[in-house]
Amino acid sequence: MSSRMIDGILSTSKEMFGSTSELAEGVPTYLDGDVQEGSAAMLFGDRSELVVGDVGVYSADSLVEQPLFQGIMLLTLLYYLMVMLRSWGFMVIVWGGQKNSIGRERMESEGGKLHTSRFNAMITLLGVIMVAMGGVKIVDMALPHGAMLLSDTEMLIAPLVALLVMGVIVAWLYAMYTIVGWLSGSGVVGEVATLSSVNFVRGTVVLYPVVAAWLLSPAESAPTWSAVAIVLGAIIVLIYFVESLQLFINKKVPILYWILYLCAVVVLPISFVARLLATQ
């Protein structure tokens, strides 16, 4: 500290503010009317009112930064790596659409290897979780951060709610295939269900690394990963549409039924989720 600053601090009030200045006691004095208690209307407007209630503690953190979400993503990553290391050869069968007899015999005869049906079931479970976490990410991006719209508990259990919604959708699809197959008595329904399951497995295996990177990426790189995921997803959906249409044509089923099928399998679940989010 310079000597000039020290001299200024040690100076008297007359030296600092003039010869007519006086050092007051430090207690402010007010004239009548200078200070008055402010009402809610004066502070926040005529239409505001004071509400007395319990104080709610809210959090403005991101949904994807919650420990439950992060833990689920870590488990899915380990799960994906484990399945791929144990049964990567099944992807030749799944994508090739043909039986690789040598590879299948080896995988089914060696200890610890997975059967095709079990592989499909494990990847389907992973895909359901992936879609649920993607829904959490989309809701998180739609919510205005800092608005404190959700409580800590609601933000924490958001992944569980998303998993519950996906469980309802899976139950609906299973019931639909079962009921339609029973009513129609046709084997085409079973073939369509198998085709849908295989395409879902394909999409999960290809999309999971990209979707996981999108779910966990920072805000500045999220658009890049989301664009890659959208492009890959569009290709997989297009393949599914072409294969399902070809199946209906080969079975000589009218195209109208194919359109109704897509509405029941794709449009209806999406509209259900959109309606659910709109009511929140």
Side-chain angles (χ1 to χ4, degrees), residues 219-262:
E220 55 271 14
S221 60
T224 302
W225 288 112
S226 61
V228 175
I230 290 173
V231 172
L232 291 177
I235 294 175
I236 293 173
V237 170
L238 180 61
I239 293 174
Y240 170 65
F241 283 169
V242 172
E243 290 185 349
S244 60
L245 178 60
Q246 187 64 43
L247 176 61
F248 274 73
I249 293 176
N250 293 339
K251 297 297 181 179
K252 296 181 171 40
V253 179
I255 302 300
L256 176 61
Y257 289 99
W258 177 70
I259 298 175
L260 294 176
Y261 164 74
L262 293 180

Side-chain angles (χ1 to χ4, degrees), residues 13-271:
S13 62
K14 296 183 182 297
E15 294 175 345
M16 296 180 64
F17 304 107
S19 57
T20 59
S21 61
E22 296 181 358
L23 184 61
E25 297 178 353
V27 180
T29 58
Y30 301 100
L31 299 176
D32 293 338
D34 286 349
V35 179
Q36 56 181 326
E37 183 178 356
S39 63
M42 294 175 58
L43 295 174
F44 305 106
D46 297 335
R47 297 184 178 181
S48 61
E49 58 181 8
L50 182 62
V51 177
V52 180
D54 297 334
V55 178
V57 179
Y58 295 94
S59 173
D61 295 337
S62 172
L63 290 175
V64 299
E65 294 176 358
Q66 299 299 315
L68 181 59
F69 183 91
Q70 298 285 334
I72 291 176
M73 290 305 304
L74 176 60
L75 291 177
T76 57
L77 176 60
L78 297 176
Y79 184 85
Y80 178 81
L81 293 176
M82 182 271 293
V83 174
M84 289 296 100
L85 289 175
R86 294 183 62 190
S87 54
W88 58 269
F90 277 118
M91 294 316 301
V92 177
I93 302 172
V94 173
W95 278 99
Q98 57 187 1
K99 295 183 180 297
N100 185 343
S101 58
I102 298 178
R104 171 169 287 188
E105 289 176 359
R106 287 179 180 176
M107 285 182 288
E108 292 184 350
S109 62
E110 294 178 6
K113 297 302 181 180
L114 300 174
H115 296 284
T116 306
S117 59
R118 186 179 302 177
F119 171 79
N120 290 338
M122 295 179 70
I123 294 297
T124 299
L125 175 62
L126 177 65
V128 170
I129 299 175
M130 180 185 71
V131 175
M133 297 304 102
V136 174
K137 176 74 172 184
I138 294 174
V139 173
D140 180 71
M141 295 172 61
L143 288 176
H145 286 187
M148 297 183 293
L149 299 177
L150 301 176
S151 66
D152 288 341
T153 303
E154 291 172 333
M155 297 186 71
L156 178 62
I157 66 173
L160 299 180
V161 175
L163 289 174
L164 178 61
V165 173
M166 283 303 302
V168 173
I169 293 177
V170 171
W172 155 254
L173 294 176
Y174 179 81
M176 184 198 69
Y177 283 121
T178 303
I179 294 173
V180 172
W182 177 71
L183 292 177
S184 62
S186 173
V188 178
V189 179
E191 295 184 31
V192 173
T194 301
L195 178 63
S196 301
S197 176
V198 169
N199 276 274
F200 188 74
V201 170
R202 291 175 180 175
T204 300
V205 172
V206 173
L207 285 176
Y208 176 80
V210 179
V211 173
W214 169 61
L215 292 174
L216 300 176
S217 62
E220 55 271 14
S221 60
T224 302
W225 288 112
S226 61
V228 175
I230 290 173
V231 172
L232 291 177
I235 294 175
I236 293 173
V237 170
L238 180 61
I239 293 174
Y240 170 65
F241 283 169
V242 172
E243 290 185 349
S244 60
L245 178 60
Q246 187 64 43
L247 176 61
F248 274 73
I249 293 176
N250 293 339
K251 297 297 181 179
K252 296 181 171 40
V253 179
I255 302 300
L256 176 61
Y257 289 99
W258 177 70
I259 298 175
L260 294 176
Y261 164 74
L262 293 180
C263 291
V265 173
V266 179
V267 178
L268 188 60
I270 293 177
S271 62

